[in-house]
């Protein structure tokens, strides 16, 4: 998701030379007080806003009906001009951008403290992967239990697949986190040329994909597109995104041209029956719209920061910031609970999108989903903080192996979901094994404050995981 004067021969730990206690801001924006604490409320807002909008979209767009033991699904945004909404509601580019900024701040802060990259990566890896453990612990046996109680097989298998497909985001975000240190070094030397080179690579991949007619040829863009957006987060931290309206107009303008005259569909999410998706794998059109979203957000930064500093909003951000991973991982489970009761149990189909029945029922639908989500937040948010462990001492090879194992597990769940079978068990085993490798060979006690009280780290002090 510094200045060009930095020499190419900078030492390996040169990321520590970048400023960490203040985020350089665009010339037109005032410096918020919280920037002095190595935090940026603008990034906090983007994270929370992005995740909430993802959840809202996932909860609002399904069209569902149940008959003869099978559940049928559709997409409300496929009707009429619903694709227009996706140009603003498909906010994964904003999430990766915010993640890039958070990772830059966090890594530079850790480097200034003398923390090596393997130890930093071990901490990030634990915070990314640990919340997945309870999700797998619930969903691996759940399909067996539901089938044993006589629930029709097709809805159970559909839910099991979808619950795991959400982990695509963590799989690719893990790649971005693992690449943070070398990409920061490239950023220090080459600046803007790094995301431009990644975007050029994405263009070449799209040309090959559409000229060959093979969607598989577009798979490299899963890395190129999301790393390009992640890299823009580094430039933001360095104060080098100074013309937000230019970014907004250029990004949205290029996206409009590509969808109007190129092979790209209008929607920025996959649609039922569409032969091409801008999302899977991501295309240059999605990258362009993402740049437009980032420019628009930066143009509104002054007002966003002012809004975030209201006491009530600040408290809400503090509360939500420690629960965003839980919300993302479990919001589809909340949806499945309501669907199983309303659609499967009572046989009530969702209304046609845009009708009075759909519009009047939408708030009630969201309220039911929020009520189903609340106990999940209460029960699983504690797993956003991994168990205490001593300082990581395993070295580079071990942490790279741990990263590969966790990534393999996440990718397995992305492809197969939690459908019963060997693949799901192997995926869970890979994640657990990777987490085990992030531990220390010796257990260290928590650091203590001035009065002997164990200190509790601020989970947002150096930029949260996502």
């Amino acid at each position: 998701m510094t200045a060009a004067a930095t020499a190419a021969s900078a030492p390996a730990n040169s990321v520590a030379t970048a400023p960490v206690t203040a985020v350089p801001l665009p010339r037109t924006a005032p410096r918020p007080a919280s920037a002095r604490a190595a935090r940026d409320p603008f990034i906090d807002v983007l994270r929370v806003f992005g995740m909430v909008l993802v959840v809202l979209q996932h909860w609002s767009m399904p069209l569902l009906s149940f008959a003869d033991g099978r559940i049928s699904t559709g997409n409300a945004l496929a009707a009429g001009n619903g694709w227009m909404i996706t140009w603003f509601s498909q906010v994964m580019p904003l999430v990766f951008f915010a993640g890039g900024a958070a990772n830059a701040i966090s890594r530079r802060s850790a480097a200034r403290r003398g923390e090596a990259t393997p130890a930093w990566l071990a901490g990030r890896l634990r915070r990314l992967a640990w919340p997945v453990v309870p999700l797998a612990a619930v969903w691996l046996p759940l399909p067996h239990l539901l089938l044993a109680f006589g629930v029709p097989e097709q809805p159970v298998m559909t839910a099991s697949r979808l619950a795991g497909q959400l982990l695509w985001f963590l799989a690719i975000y893990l790649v971005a986190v693992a690449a943070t240190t070398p990409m920061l070094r490239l950023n220090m030397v080459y600046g803007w040329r790094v995301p431009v080179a990644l975007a050029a690579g994405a263009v070449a991949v799209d040309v090959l994909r559409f000229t060959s007619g093979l969607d598989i040829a577009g798979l490299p863009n899963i890395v190129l597109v999301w790393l390009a957006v992640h890299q823009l987060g580094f430039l933001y931290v360095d104060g080098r995104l100074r013309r937000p309206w230019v970014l907004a107009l250029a990004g949205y303008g290029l996206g409009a041209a590509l969808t109007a005259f190129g092979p790209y569909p209008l929607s920025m999410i996959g649609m039922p029956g569409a032969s091409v998706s801008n999302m899977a794998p991501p295309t240059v059109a999605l990258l362009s719209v993402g740049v437009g979203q980032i420019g628009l957000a930066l143009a509104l930064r002054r007002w966003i920061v002012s809004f975030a500093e209201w006491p009530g909003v600040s408290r809400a951000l503090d509360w939500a910031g420690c629960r965003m991973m839980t919300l993302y991982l479990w919001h589809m489970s909340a949806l499945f609970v309501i669907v199983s009761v309303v659609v499967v149990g009572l046989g009530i189909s969702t209304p046609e999108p845009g009708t009075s029945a759909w519009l009047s029922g939408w708030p009630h639908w969201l309220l039911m989903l929020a009520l189903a989500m609340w106990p999940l937040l209460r029960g699983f948010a504690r797993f956003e903080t991994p168990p205490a462990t001593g300082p990581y001492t395993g070295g580079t090879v071990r942490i790279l192996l741990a990263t590969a194992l966790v990534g393999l597990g996440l990718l397995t769940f992305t492809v197969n979901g939690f459908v019963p079978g060997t693949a799901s068990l192997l995926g869970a085993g890979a994640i657990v094994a990777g987490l085990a490798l992030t531990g220390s060979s010796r257990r260290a006690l928590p650091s203590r404050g001035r009065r002997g009280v164990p200190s509790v780290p601020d989970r947002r002090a150096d930029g949260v995981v996502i």
Side-chain angles (χ1 to χ4, degrees):
M1 145 161 226
T2 56
T6 303
S9 59
N13 63 350
S14 59
V15 290
T17 63
V20 296
T21 57
V23 177
L25 307 180
R27 291 172 182 165
T28 58
R31 185 187 304 276
S34 58
R36 294 191 296 271
R39 273 180 46 194
D40 187 341
F42 176 65
I43 297 302
D44 291 339
V45 171
L46 289 190
R47 285 184 56 252
V48 173
F49 170 77
M51 282 300 178
V52 169
L53 199 55
V54 166
V55 171
L56 184 63
Q57 179 171 268
H58 286 172
W59 281 357
S60 301
M61 66 185 186
L63 297 177
L64 304 165
S65 61
F66 181 74
D68 300 324
R70 297 184 62 84
I71 191 165
S72 301
T73 61
N75 192 324
L77 296 180
N81 292 320
W83 61 267
M84 294 181 180
I85 298 174
T86 67
W87 285 50
F88 299 93
S89 66
Q90 172 51 284
V91 289
M92 276 303 177
L94 282 180
V95 174
F96 274 93
F97 168 76
N103 286 329
I105 295 170
S106 174
R107 178 64 199 115
R108 288 170 173 173
S109 178
R112 194 179 71 162
R113 298 192 304 267
E115 183 176 326
T117 294
W120 175 82
L121 182 55
R124 301 301 263 192
L125 185 57
R126 281 194 296 270
R127 290 175 63 185
L128 267 176
W130 182 246
V132 180
V133 173
L135 183 74
V138 170
W139 272 100
L140 285 176
L142 185 59
H144 298 279
L145 294 175
L146 294 175
L147 292 174
F149 279 104
V151 179
E153 181 179 5
Q154 189 264 351
V156 171
M157 295 299 105
T158 300
S160 300
R161 281 192 296 272
L162 293 176
Q165 286 179 3
L166 287 173
L167 298 180
W168 76 266
F169 165 66
L170 294 187
I172 184 56
Y173 190 78
L174 180 60
V175 174
V177 171
T180 291
T181 296
M183 297 305 288
L184 274 172
R185 292 178 185 142
L186 289 175
N187 175 70
M188 293 174 69
V189 178
Y190 299 108
W192 265 101
R193 284 171 284 184
V194 180
V196 169
L198 291 168
V203 171
V205 168
D206 270 7
V207 169
L208 177 61
R209 173 186 176 183
F210 290 113
T211 55
S212 67
L214 298 174
D215 276 349
I216 194 173
L219 291 180
N221 271 357
I222 296 175
V223 174
L224 293 172
V225 168
W226 296 124
L227 277 188
V229 180
H230 191 262
Q231 199 77 12
L232 291 178
F234 298 172
L235 293 174
Y236 165 76
V237 171
D238 291 341
R240 302 182 68 175
L241 299 181
R242 298 184 180 274
R243 295 177 176 83
W245 285 115
V246 173
L247 282 178
L249 294 175
Y252 275 117
L254 181 58
L258 289 172
T259 54
F261 304 107
Y264 303 98
L266 293 170
S267 173
M268 292 299 123
I269 65 173
M271 290 296 185
S275 59
V276 175
S277 169
N278 280 316
M279 183 63 188
T283 65
V284 175
L286 178 61
L287 176 59
S288 300
V289 171
V291 171
Q293 290 178 347
I294 292 167
L296 183 60
L298 288 170
L300 300 175
R301 186 187 187 283
R302 181 195 303 270
W303 293 274
I304 292 173
V305 169
S306 297
F307 175 71
E309 291 179 340
W310 291 4
V313 174
S314 179
R315 287 193 296 269
L317 290 173
D318 286 335
W319 182 88
C322 299
R323 294 165 174 82
M324 283 299 98
M325 181 76 83
T326 307
L327 177 65
Y328 180 77
L329 291 178
W330 290 94
H331 75 276
M332 290 300 288
S333 298
L335 176 64
F336 300 147
V337 169
I338 300 303
V339 169
S340 65
V341 173
V342 176
V343 179
V344 176
L346 300 178
I348 301 175
S349 302
T350 53
E352 288 298 314
T355 62
S356 58
W358 189 91
L359 293 173
S360 61
W362 182 60
H364 302 88
W365 178 254
L366 293 182
L367 177 60
M368 288 190 294
L369 289 166
L371 291 174
M373 187 71 224
W374 181 248
L376 298 176
L377 279 177
R378 292 289 301 271
F380 295 107
R382 70 192 69 182
F383 293 97
E384 300 222 12
T385 301
T389 183
Y392 176 77
T393 57
T396 301
V397 173
R398 179 173 160 185
I399 196 57
L400 289 179
L401 176 60
T403 303
L405 285 171
V406 172
L408 179 62
L410 294 173
L411 185 61
T412 300
F413 287 140
T414 300
V415 175
N416 296 290
F418 296 104
V419 173
T422 304
S424 298
L425 295 175
L426 291 176
I431 292 175
V432 171
L435 281 170
L437 291 175
T438 65
S440 173
S441 57
R442 65 183 188 277
R443 187 173 181 84
L445 292 176
S447 59
R448 294 184 175 272
R450 294 181 180 178
R451 299 184 180 181
V453 179
S455 61
V456 179
D458 180 357
R459 279 179 282 181
R460 296 197 301 144
D462 63 350
V464 289
V465 173
I466 58 172

